[in-house]
Amino acid sequence: MHKNRFSKVGYILAIAGSAIGLGNIWKFPYITGANGGGAFVLVFLLAVFSIGISIFLAEIILGKIVKKDAVTTFETLAPKNHKYLKYIGFSFITGVLIISFYPIVIAWILHYIVLSFESLPNSVSSAESYFNNYISFSLASQIFYFSLVFFSIAFIISKGIKEGIEKLNNSLIPALFLIFLFMLLYSFTLDGFSKAFTFMFYPDFENFNTSSILVAVGHAFFCLSVGVATILTYSSSISDDTHILKATVFVVIMDILTAFVSGLIIFSIIFSADASPDKGAGLVFITLPAIFYEMGAAGTVFAIAFFIALAFAAITSAVSMVEPAVMYLIERRGFKRLKATLTICISAYILGLVAILSMSNEFSTYLSFAGKNIFDILDFLTSAILMPLGGIAIALFVGYIMDKEQVKNALKPYMGEILFACWLFVLRYLTPIFIFALMLKEIGILNF
Ligand code: PHE
């Protein structure tokens, strides 16, 4: 038995740390910008509060009941002649794929922290060429920061649940909230704040189309870390007195609030400088740095605080992607924690290096497929396909295959009959129908 459990607060901060990450602070604002603002936010909210939260809770009870790695969990709970369902547990491989490219963005963030201390580019166009040049030509610098990130992740994971993961989240997550609070208070004073508010919360359906729905649902999965056995694995170390429903609601609300606050901060700054909100992935690395430069000394402080907060959020999520695979190797394959950590981290590290090379000027032609580099392919494969698939598998398993009494008993202490019925309805019907339809549309079989 590996149990070494989280404390009550430690568990909540750990699942919050996993959920709150680049998805909220970096990706949410730019995809909101690209998909028309308020209407997108509305669909995202609906997805989070129906499908997202239901699968989140399903993963928690799976982890809590069996208290083992993901594969053992599905094997234990599957009916006798359906033990092959243990393969659902291998959804942790999606986490290993994400951890190969996610730290590349953390590497850029670390570079931008250093750059904020030195000097930021002085206009959007120079910031744009700076960022593009950095990705295309500065291989050594990217690999240096990328290696540093992996080394830190491996160090934390090798220390285990209490000494590594819990300690990390206990300090970084409150620090992140504090930095964000100050930045939000500052953005209230900016001219662009009210415009940012309207942009994010007024549903304008003009720039919104059906593929925005797919983006919103896929992003709900990504933001909540569901479908990759992360929440399940963390929950296998939950303490018995944790109120799982309260923990879920708290974490989901904090997760959304962080995304909203990040959007408000970024768009307030952008609208105050009359810049455009739809710069795509470059919003944080191109538009913002140029505006920070214009803001003078305050901008430098802001830039450093912002990138540090981003790094904190990202590292706590990154750690949570590795743990499910590590836990599997320890519990099913008899690895020692250090060996398991190194096996997973080194494999992901090598894949990540290839992804870095695939964006570089020198190697991009050899390492691109159908016009997409490996970074984009991994991003698309994991968040648009594998995470939703993992989510459906969990929903179907808990909704149809697991013993209903067992599911009910696991939730009875925390919710009444009606809420339970709603939750089951979402898992059984809404989730599969919705996600299948959207995925068929994505691969071109359905058209709406
Ligand atoms: N939820 C994290 C984010 O928003 C990403 C993540 C995905 C973390 C899957 C763990 C597992 O950035």
Side-chain angles (χ1 to χ4, degrees), residues 28-29 31-33 35-49 196-205 208 212 216-217 219-220 256 259-260 263-264 267:
F28 176 77
I31 54 178
T32 301
N35 289 282
F40 177 81
V41 174
L42 188 68
V43 177
F44 170 72
L45 271 183
L46 288 175
V48 167
F49 278 104
F197 195 86
T198 316
F199 178 71
M200 280 191 56
F201 300 116
Y202 177 77
D204 162 17
F205 283 89
F208 189 81
S212 305
V217 175
H219 195 60
I256 288 177
F260 284 180
L264 283 175
F267 291 129

Side-chain angles (χ1 to χ4, degrees), residues 18-19 21-24 98 102 222-223 225 228 230 317 320-321 387:
S18 170
L22 293 176
N24 310 56
I98 303 177
Y102 198 89
F222 193 80
C223 250
S225 312
V228 299
T230 284
S317 297
S320 77
M321 293 163 198
M387 289 185 85

Side-chain angles (χ1 to χ4, degrees), residues 234-272:
Y234 272 9
S235 303
S236 73
S237 300
I238 196 171
S239 65
D240 290 332
D241 56 350
T242 302
H243 192 296
I244 57 174
L245 189 63
K246 282 189 191 156
T248 301
V249 172
F250 176 78
V251 169
V252 170
I253 289 179
M254 288 320 273
D255 195 37
I256 288 177
L257 277 183
T258 320
F260 284 180
V261 168
S262 168
L264 283 175
I265 295 170
I266 291 176
F267 291 129
S268 299
I269 297 173
I270 283 180
F271 289 135
S272 301

